[in-house]
Amino acid sequence: MVPDTTTSPRTGRQELLTALGEIEQRVLWLSAATIDHANRVRPNPTGLKVGGHQASCASMVSIMTTLWFHELTADDRVSVKPHASPALHAVNHLLGELPAEALTTLRSFGGLQSYPSRTKDPDPVDYSTGSVGIGATAPIWGALARRYVEGRFPGAGTGRQYALLGDAELDEGACWEAVQDPMVAGLGEVVWIVDLNRQSLDRVVPALSAERLAGMFEAAGWQVLTLKYGEQLTELFSRPGGEALRTRLDTMGNPEYQRLLRCTPAELRDRLPGTGSTREPLERLVATLDDDALHSAVRNLGGHDLGALLDAYAAIDDTRPTVILAYTVKGRGLHSEGHPQNHSSLLTRDQLADLATRTGADPDDPWRPLPDGAAARLCAERAEELRRPPVGRIAPPPVPTDFGRTPGGTGTTQQAFGRALLDLSRSAPEAAARVVTVSPDVSSSTNLGGWLNKVGVWSPTERVDWFADDAETILHWRENPTGQHVELGIAETNLVGLLGELGATWSRWGQPLLPIGIMYDPFVNRALEPWQFGIYAGGQSLLVGTPSGVTLAPEGGAHQSITTPSLGLEQPGCTTWEPAFAQDAEWCVLAALSLLGRPDGGSAYLRLSTRPVDQSLAAVPADPAARERRRRQAVAGAYGLRRAEGTPDVTLAAMGAMVPEALAAADRLASLGVAADVVCVTSPGLLFRATQARRGLDDAPQWVLDQAFPADRAAPLVTLLDGHPHTLAFLGTVHNTPVTPLGVSHFGQSGALDEVYRHHGIDTESVVRAALDLTHRP
């Protein structure tokens, strides 16, 4: 239930607003002082800029004060815009969640982070932010993840999901992709509060229209609440000349309004009336105001009116998402307010001292507690009300390592992925119950059909499947609250945003999920930044990219991924696999799932193919011990697929869809008297970590190098993959042998498979030539 802001159970409305006003001023001071200390007080021997955003914090303090010190419940979660990080730490300090000495560590090594971080900051942070658009949309996916968990594993509770974002953040297309997704319209717990200060990093935004923004949100089914003017201006509008004042302010461009904030009262009296029909009535109205009243009136916007903010929260409709467009002044209360270049500006020492005087603080004792009184009591009361009990974590059910069967015939790794999910539901139903798959309208084309038919599609309410009795319908779209697949629109950013939040439920509510996102591999790069941010924030998920590479020959260059194979080398917190055979794919899927939903876990990326491959080429050992050895090697990054008799002249290290070419090349080389070993690489990232560990630069296991690349078989290397050749080029450092890396380094062409492989120099002929050149054979 929304609290009654007219008469609070703690105190009357006016007393409440007075206490909130005192807290607001202290949040303003603490955020500014925290940034000042980082830049001017803490020693900085390098002389490098430390940075911080005093103006961006100042525009948010009213919103954050009313939220934390009146509106929030312990079940609510809030995403705070990146540049307001010091304001969040100030709030947490006043709530007793952060000691004063921590405020001196902003942007220091091991201290408070530049932007809010769930995993690195010492105080409560609900959502990591720092990449524009991602923090804003995260509460949407957090709300969906909470609903999913609560429907299947009760205990996630209720609560609103707030996003505090700057108006410039709405330039990000990711925001609008999320706002209009069909899944979002029913998420009534989502509330966005837009800090509408009409300034960006470099300038005053010349033509930002709140009316246009409101229309876009309304068209997506959101409730829109606009807070434009505060109580003082509203009262002035009722006086003679007030309508002229409203008309003048409503029609004034953003740059002109921001310039008024820089004017002295004398300049205001000349500039505010303007030059049109409003000038005469406005001059008369302005003449009735003293300098202080005129100065405060021009900046009396709704986003700084504590009472208006409380009323807006009370008006939220919990049946649909809500956006509050709160007009604010960037740098409100600072000497830099309204200046077009105030984004990273710092107050001078004199200006900071003046701020201390106006906010009741002491620059010589900047972290001094609030004096005893209503504000201090309110902080203590709210600290108790917002305290969350520790999360009791449930360990994820064990995932099997091997289903015990060996695929035969001809098949693809993409098909193997779909079969692995079905096998998991039969062999380990408790683990399968924790699996949730997500795709952007590509379920049927990525071999998820069997899984969807078995588990159904998740929906908050049950919906009629009008094609259930259609005999020609193969994919059954049964939507209900027990479904385990979430289908989003075609927006990869939405998919990985949801993956990140589904992958964080183990730490938010103690309920681990095993989330799997499936998309076409050519579009993985589009999703990498938000997925990376989800990993940074503690989300653990499996991202499957399929189909992949120039092996999609007829699809042409636009659908042929090149750079994705090296993700495992470059992305912290992520293990990647690119299996060649169905058996390897099964083992890698199970290994990836076993990483999820645990404090020592991590995310994984699986790159799959639609190329049919003869599964007998895998030569999976029949002996149980030998099979288990092969499985461990495949999951660890590589295994010897074929060993030549005697000492090899060359080693062919191939990955994924290119392994058949390596095997064919080994046969050709043998006919030429060149002995070739073939190593099947499944994870470049794991192999790279092993090589780093040999140099003391990582703590990863190294045994896989000894088994896949034994020293007594060291030979010149040809590496081969359907992706950029640099991905495997480091393998030459295992034994410091010559290496020729083959792969794809330019955009592809449409064509048949042999034509495309030949075009990129990754066909059997190219492998043979490279091996002959390395071995100096004629």
Side-chain angles (χ1 to χ4, degrees), residues 339-695:
H339 194 282
Q341 280 86 51
N342 66 6
H343 185 77
S344 298
S345 65
L346 294 173
L347 298 178
T348 66
R349 294 195 181 281
D350 289 344
Q351 290 169 348
L352 191 73
D354 178 65
L355 178 65
T357 300
R358 289 187 286 110
T359 58
D362 181 355
D364 296 322
D365 186 11
W367 324 120
R368 184 181 66 189
L370 283 167
D372 291 340
R377 289 194 298 274
L378 180 57
C379 288
E381 291 171 10
R382 292 299 289 156
E384 191 63 30
E385 293 168 357
L386 294 176
R387 187 164 291 116
R388 297 169 184 164
V391 175
R393 292 174 183 166
I394 297 173
V399 176
T401 58
D402 191 345
F403 292 132
R405 60 172 178 76
T406 303
T410 300
T412 74
T413 54
Q414 180 176 286
Q415 291 169 344
F417 166 69
R419 283 197 304 269
L421 291 182
L422 291 175
D423 286 344
L424 184 69
S425 66
R426 290 187 285 264
S427 302
E430 289 188 2
R434 299 273 172 174
V435 171
V436 52
T437 55
V438 187
S439 75
D441 198 34
V442 293
S443 301
S444 57
S445 56
T446 54
N447 281 89
L448 277 183
W451 169 256
L452 260 67
N453 287 342
K454 182 173 182 61
V455 303
V457 177
W458 181 83
S459 172
T461 58
E462 188 160 359
R463 298 176 181 174
V464 176
D465 180 5
W466 294 104
F467 289 87
D469 59 348
D470 186 338
E472 295 184 9
T473 298
I474 299 175
L475 182 63
H476 298 289
W477 207 259
R478 300 190 309 273
E479 298 180 83
N480 56 67
T482 63
Q484 289 179 245
H485 175 78
V486 181
E487 187 86 357
L488 299 175
I490 304 176
E492 287 79 9
T493 298
N494 287 352
L495 179 140
V496 294
L498 177 56
L499 269 190
E501 290 307 315
L502 290 169
T505 59
W506 66 273
S507 59
R508 289 197 191 281
W509 301 293
Q511 290 288 356
L513 296 176
L514 308 181
I516 304 173
I518 305 95
M519 67 174 68
Y520 291 167
D521 197 70
F523 309 130
V524 165
N525 281 335
R526 186 185 301 175
L528 277 185
E529 190 215 357
W531 190 52
Q532 169 185 302
F533 216 80
I535 295 173
Y536 170 79
Q540 299 172 0
S541 61
L542 168 58
L543 182 62
V544 178
T546 184
S548 62
V550 301
T551 298
L552 284 169
E555 294 282 345
H559 281 71
Q560 297 174 357
S561 53
I562 296 173
T563 62
T564 49
S566 62
L567 285 181
L569 303 176
E570 300 148 1
Q571 176 56 58
C574 172
T575 302
T576 67
W577 285 282
E578 185 171 347
F581 302 107
Q583 184 63 79
D584 297 349
E586 173 195 297
W587 287 336
C588 293
V589 168
L590 296 176
L593 292 177
S594 71
L595 296 174
L596 307 179
R598 36 186 257 209
D600 61 343
S603 293
Y605 162 70
L606 203 64
R607 190 178 192 242
L608 303 179
S609 173
T610 50
R611 182 185 184 184
V613 173
D614 178 1
Q615 297 303 305
S616 67
L617 296 176
V620 178
D623 179 80
R627 177 188 177 95
E628 173 58 15
R629 184 174 186 267
R630 166 70 70 85
R631 185 199 67 80
R632 290 182 68 244
Q633 292 172 340
V635 168
Y639 58 87
L641 180 57
R642 183 183 295 179
R643 299 297 193 199
E645 292 186 13
T647 302
D649 299 305
V650 67
T651 297
L652 310 180
M655 185 167 72
M658 304 311 304
V659 169
E661 271 60 39
L663 291 170
D667 291 338
R668 289 271 301 278
L669 289 168
S671 70
L672 297 173
V674 178
D677 281 356
V678 178
V679 176
C680 181
V681 175
T682 55
S683 177
L686 290 176
L687 295 183
F688 181 73
R689 288 195 61 191
T691 62
Q692 291 290 85
R694 279 192 171 179
R695 298 175 176 85

Side-chain angles (χ1 to χ4, degrees), residues 305-322:
D305 189 299
L306 302 178
L309 285 164
L310 296 183
D311 292 341
Y313 304 149
I316 291 173
D317 175 5
D318 286 318
T319 66
R320 53 180 173 154
T322 294

